[in-house]
Structures are given as C-alpha cells and as structure tokens.
Amino acid sequence: MASFLNNIMGKSAKAGTDALEETQHRSNYKVPDEEAEVPLMITVNDGTTKAHYGGTATNGSTSAKEDEGVGMPLSPLPVRPSAAARRQQRDANNLGSSMKSTSSASWLGLGIEPGNDSVVLAPDGKTPLYGSSKLAANAIMHAEYKMEMEKERTVSLGNESDINNGSSKNALLSRPSCNTLGTMGTNRTARTLQEIQQEFLEKVRTSFMEDAMNFAEGTIPQSIIVAIVIGCVCGVVAYVYYYALDYFLELIWDILPEYIVENTSIPEKYYILWIPLVSFTLSIGCGLSIYYLGEPGDLAYTIQCIHSKGYKGTHHILPMIAASQCTILAGASLGPEAPLVAICAATAGFVSRSIFKQTNRNVVRKHTFMGMAGALSAFFGVPLGGSLFALEVASRFGIEYFEHLIESIFAGEVCVVVFRSLAGLPLGQIWNISENKLTETQPYMILLGGGIGLLGAGVAFIWANFHWRLMSYFKALNLLDDENAYAVPRVLLGACGVVILGMLVPQTMFWGEFEVGTIATLSPASALPHVWPTEGLLGFELDSWQNCLICGFAKLVAISFTVAGGYRGGFIFPFFAAGAAFGRALVFVFPDLSPVIACLCFAAGINVAITRTSLATPLILSFLAGEQFVLPAVLAASLVSLFATGYVPFIKSQLARSDIDFSLYYKKRHPKLPQSGPGAV
C-alpha cells in the first residue's frame, strides 16, 4: 500500500505541479503586452477563498496585492504545520477522525483541508487518498480547472486591445477546491480520480455529424471546410501573382530584346547594357514601393507573426506584391516562394478571422499554416514537400506545430489543384540532371550524401558570416532604418552587386528555378532561360571545376547583396542553384561521382543549414529532379547539415514554441543552499 501511494503521489504531484506553470497553453490565446497575473487561490481558516497575486506571505503580514475584483483584504497566511503536526494529522485522517487542522490553509495554495471528510479514491476505486496523495489529486484538478478557464479566456483577434480579465478572474476565484468537490450538488461521497477528472474535462470531439452541425472550433469538420476555402482562395491568389510575373518576365526579358535586335541598329556589343538598364530601373521601383506603400515584411517577419499573433496583417499584401515583383523582374537572386508564403499567410489569416470569425489563437495559427502550405505546394508542385516546408521553417529543429500538420497538407493539396489547373501546369520533373537515372540506392550513397551535406553546411556557414558582415556595412551607412526612409539608396547599393555579378557571370541572374537545370547539366550560357544577353561581358561558361566554384560563390554573393539591399523574395531556389554549381565542381574532381547525388546533396546541405527544413528539402529536390532513388542520400545530407548547424541559426525569428520550449531547451534549476551561515543545511 505504501509503495502504491508513493507511486501515485510522485506521478500525480509532478503532473499537477508542472501543469500549474504558466508556460503551458500560453501561446494558444491572445494576451496583452503585459500578461495579467493569474491569482493563486488560498483557503483560510474561516473557509473563504481569496486570491493571492504573488509576493512573500508570512504569518501576520503579507506583501501580496489585494484582489480588486473581490474588494477584500488578503488574510495573513498561517505558518506551515510542523512535521510532527502533519504526522499527527495524517494519523488522525487514517483513523477516520473528522478532526480539522487548526491551520487549514495549504502552503501550496491549493485549498486543501486535510481534515475534511470528503474522500478521494485512488484509480483502483477502493483505496482512499490522504495527506500528500490527496494534495496531488487536488493539484491535478486545479490544473484541469485552470485549463478550462483558459479555454474560455479568448478574445477577438481582429484588434490589439487588452484582455478584460474580470470574468475569468472571478471564475477562478470561485473555483471549487478538493474539499468542496465532494459536497457539490449532493451528499459527500467518495469518488475516483477518473470521476473527478470527468467533471472538469469537456469532450472536444463527439461525432462528425454533431461537430459539423455545430461547426465547433478546431474540430475535423471545421478544419476540412476551412482548408478547402483557404486552399481555393490561395490557389487563385497564387495564380494571379504567377500570371502577372510570367507576363512581365516575357515582356521585359524576351519580347523587348527581340524588338531591339530586329528594329534598331544598336551594335551587338552594347546589348549587355540591357542588364543594368532594366535592373537599376526596377530596383528603384522596388525601393519606391517600400517607401510609399510600407514595409512588406519578409520570411523572418512572417515567422515572427506566426509565433506571436498566429496571423499576418493584410496591410502587408500590396507592398509585398509590388516589391517582390520588381525584385524578380530586376533579375535579383530572390524568388517568388517567400512572397507567396507571406501573401497567402495574410490571406488565410484574414479568411480565418473575418469570414469564419475564429478567435482562438492556435486555431487561427493553424489556418495561417494552411495558407503557407498552399502557397509552397502550389509553387513547388510538391504538395507534401511544400506543406512540410511551411511548418518546418517556423522552427529551428523540426516541426513543432505538429498538431497542424495534417490539415496543412490537405490545404496544400487543394491549393495545388486550383493553382495548377488555372495555370495549366502539370506536376512533374523540371530538371533532367543526368541521362543515367539512378535505379537503386546503395548504402554507401547514403554515407556519401551525408558527407556532401556536411560540405554544404560548411559553405552555408561561410556565407552566413559573410552576409552578416555585409549587413554591418549597410548598417554603418545608416541604410537599415526601421522607417525605410533610405529604401531607394539601399536597394541601389544592393543592385550594384547584383548587376556587376550578373554581367560577369550571367548564371547568377534571377532566382534559379530553371537555371538549376542549366547549371547542373553544364549547359552553355546561351541556354539560360531569362537573362539577355546570355553571354555576359566575358563569355563565362561552366567548363571547369574552377568556373563551377566561381559560379557557386558568385551566386551566394549575389544572394547576399539582394537580401542586404532590401529586395523582397525567397532564397530557396537561389541556394539550390549555388548547390548545383558546387556539386558539379565535385564531379569534375571525382569523375565517378554521380552528378545527381553531388548536385542535389550539396543543394540540400546549403538550404537546410539556412532554412532548417530537413524533411521538406529532400522531397522537393528529389521530386523536381525526377530522381526518387536519390532521396535517401539527400535526406542524409539534410540531416547532417541540420545537426552541424544546429547552434548557428540564420533566421532569428525561428523560435521554439512558448508552450513547449521548457521541455526542449530548459530544465528546472534548483538554487544551491548555503553550507554555512544563515539558512545553512
């Protein structure tokens, strides 16, 4: 019996006490900037329950603040009973005595009166719990009741006003303690822990039809309907964005150059001036859009909004569309993936809050993830990889918002269907890296992939340090102000780096989605799909391992100047292009190495080191290359890169969830007691 009670006491007390910590469920509800304190309930000798708001309470005096909602002074706390008194009281309880303790207030603030004749039974339904075991049972119920109160403490997410805590505070003040549970409604009866829990736990899922009729918040029927709506809306939004981008790309970099060649007498040697003319003009347009339309935000800002509010404001949509379109059309090394994520995240948050009137922060966050997953799934054409990317990129080490995974993947599938149907684009391979496709995966290929991934992580580390140094130079020039007052000078300085590199190494122009195929196959510069003229100033070609290294590092430098210059876009495909160049350099040195493994594993190593997406990246690369058997090697490269750069985060807003960070990165710290002097043990 003693061992049984000890087991119950140990497990239940730990669970109850841990559940009382404020870190749990904090991210699920909107809270003001300064969180209201949750009152600690204390039962005093006269049987009344009062709220204690922190401070040091001693016998006869207290520094606790008075609860304004009750209007009653806080009675002084009695001294904790001595060990002898507690043993005497426990013996009396075990003998069935109805004697009450003279100091009935619990020093833990759990409102337990050991002498009360309300009985709590162990899970076997027979053994009564007394003393510390009863204390543990009450702790469990305190936590459960508190969570129920937290569920009701939701407010509209449409504004930033503070919470009116009056109702929830009063509800907490009137919560029953373990002593009154046995007297609620009928006579005092002994009950099991399961019966006590059932009294305070509300069943979330009942039946599909009932949840569908009630459209209950966060249930499966609601998630299905919302995912379909968000997937369709984001699919249309992505198509409009893609259509405009494709139209202007063809106009500026294809139709107009043809007109110049056919209808003007400009000498061919001056064609190269088309690159700086277009790039600087559209760069100015990017800076002006940021200056006049406002801050578009970027991927890091979108992630920050996901963690803090659960959604991104719709006022960022128009600035992001204008800035990102100018960025891509200027030939800068950022792509449309991050803008689509930001735009669809804001759109999904609007649908959730304004159309479906959702108020729970974590439910709104789930719907925002649906929009992000839909955007990436539609753009990549890889539903599973795109959806995983949306959830992985919010954290530094794997998917932490795991409860939103299935619904996000479903929304991604819906968005892919809508977007690809409107655009007339099939889902399939876009790169043909080698004519000799892999037909199997040998074990050594996995080890080889891990080694190449480690090289990619090293290159990413070098690039990150270079980028931070470059950003410090921009900051020294006072170009990184929060008001974007110098948006145009900043973007022009970034354009200088982009244009110079583009004229020397044309493979570095644009975001790289289609350039990857040209680089990975060592195709001539004339095969580049967007830039004109394709030869550049020097006629640069990927015909040696040195030129492949130059192309890879030049692409990384172009990415850094693009980001530092304040352009808006995503760097996923640009990193893929740089990785393909480094992979091809390896193949020059080791001719027996498969170019598929070299290019894709190097690309994965760089991208995962920066974006922390170790599951999504292998799926996307393998699918777009049409190489299913390279997946194990690319996965190994991604995981090795993730581990190698785990302590060097690039996207600072990638944080652990506030409600589970203590279990991942922190442990309870107990203060060291002095060995001598006052308070020595």
Side-chain angles (χ1 to χ4, degrees), residues 52-118:
H52 176 55
Y53 279 92
T56 303
T58 58
N59 189 27
S61 65
T62 179
S63 63
K65 293 182 291 185
E66 179 179 345
D67 177 21
E68 298 177 356
V70 180
M72 298 174 58
L74 180 64
S75 301
L77 286 173
V79 179
R80 174 178 175 173
S82 64
R86 295 197 303 273
R87 283 195 299 270
Q88 180 181 2
Q89 184 63 51
R90 185 167 59 250
D91 294 339
N93 287 337
N94 290 337
L95 292 174
S97 173
S98 61
M99 178 184 65
K100 284 195 173 184
S101 171
T102 56
S103 296
S104 60
S106 167
W107 52 88
L108 290 180
L110 296 175
I112 292 181
E113 297 176 5
N116 191 281
D117 54 1
S118 174

Side-chain angles (χ1 to χ4, degrees), residues 275-284 286 326-327 330-333 474 487-503 509 558 560-567:
I275 293 178
L277 176 64
V278 173
S279 293
F280 280 114
T281 302
L282 289 170
S283 296
I284 294 174
C286 177
C326 289
T327 295
S333 289
F474 274 74
V488 175
R490 177 186 177 185
V491 77
L492 284 176
L493 181 57
C496 291
V498 172
V499 169
I500 292 173
L501 289 170
M503 295 174 69
M509 293 289 289
S560 190
F561 269 97
T562 305
V563 175
Y567 292 95

Side-chain angles (χ1 to χ4, degrees), residues 203-504:
K203 189 174 183 181
V204 178
R205 295 177 179 175
T206 53
S207 67
F208 186 90
M209 291 303 300
E210 183 175 348
D211 287 341
M213 295 295 295
N214 297 330
F215 208 63
E217 189 175 55
T219 56
I220 293 178
Q222 188 208 47
S223 296
I224 293 175
I225 299 299
V226 175
I228 293 175
V229 173
I230 290 177
C232 293
V233 172
C234 290
V236 174
V237 170
Y239 169 72
V240 173
Y241 184 94
Y242 170 83
Y243 180 84
L245 179 63
D246 187 65
Y247 174 80
F248 286 111
L249 271 175
E250 184 178 5
L251 174 66
I252 295 173
W253 293 97
D254 188 14
I255 297 177
L256 290 180
E258 287 183 2
Y259 178 84
I260 292 173
V261 171
E262 295 176 359
N263 298 280
T264 65
S265 58
I266 299 176
E268 186 176 350
K269 63 180 180 180
Y270 295 121
Y271 288 170
I272 192 67
L273 297 179
W274 184 252
I275 293 178
L277 176 64
V278 173
S279 293
F280 280 114
T281 302
L282 289 170
S283 296
I284 294 174
C286 177
L288 290 176
S289 69
I290 295 174
Y291 181 80
Y292 286 106
L293 297 180
E295 173 61 42
D298 52 12
L299 179 61
Y301 177 74
T302 302
I303 295 172
Q304 178 183 342
C305 292
I306 289 292
H307 286 292
S308 60
K309 300 186 299 182
Y311 68 96
K312 186 177 182 180
T314 54
H315 61 280
H316 295 292
I317 294 179
L318 184 58
M320 176 57 79
I321 293 175
S324 62
Q325 291 272 340
C326 289
T327 295
I328 300 169
L329 294 174
S333 289
L334 291 178
E337 56 270 29
L340 282 175
V341 167
I343 294 169
C344 291
T347 303
F350 173 80
V351 170
S352 175
R353 296 180 296 114
S354 300
I355 297 180
F356 290 99
K357 307 298 182 182
Q358 298 302 291
T359 58
N360 185 292
R361 178 178 300 182
N362 205 35
V363 173
V364 174
R365 182 182 290 115
K366 172 170 64 176
H367 299 161
T368 303
F369 273 125
M370 289 179 182
M372 296 170 61
L376 290 175
S377 299
F379 178 70
F380 291 132
V382 187
L384 182 57
S387 301
L388 288 176
F389 199 106
L391 274 82
E392 277 191 293
V393 78
S395 306
R396 295 182 182 177
F397 206 80
I399 298 175
E400 293 186 4
Y401 290 103
F402 47 83
E403 70 270 30
H404 306 323
L405 178 61
I406 301 301
E407 293 97 328
S408 298
I409 295 175
F410 177 67
E413 287 275 19
V414 175
C415 192
V416 164
V417 172
V418 175
F419 170 75
R420 295 278 167 161
S421 298
L422 293 174
L425 298 174
L427 280 70
Q429 172 185 352
I430 63 174
W431 308 322
N432 187 19
I433 298 176
S434 176
E435 295 297 333
N436 299 320
K437 290 185 175 293
L438 295 178
T439 58
E440 60 184 8
T441 303
Q442 296 292 339
Y444 78 88
M445 295 180 180
I446 300 177
L447 299 178
L448 183 62
I452 297 175
L454 187 60
L455 291 177
V459 170
F461 176 77
I462 295 173
W463 174 82
N465 284 275
F466 167 80
H467 178 73
W468 291 328
R469 181 65 60 89
L470 182 64
M471 291 294 292
S472 67
Y473 292 148
F474 274 74
K475 185 176 181 181
L477 295 174
N478 197 30
L479 297 178
L480 303 182
D481 64 302
D482 295 333
E483 302 299 326
N484 291 316
Y486 302 100
V488 175
R490 177 186 177 185
V491 77
L492 284 176
L493 181 57
C496 291
V498 172
V499 169
I500 292 173
L501 289 170
M503 295 174 69
L504 296 175

Side-chain angles (χ1 to χ4, degrees), residues 40-42 48 127 212 229 231 320 323 328 404 456 640 651:
L40 184 65
M41 309 314 302
I42 303 173
T48 60
T127 308
V229 173
M320 176 57 79
I328 300 169
H404 306 323
V640 169
I651 303 176

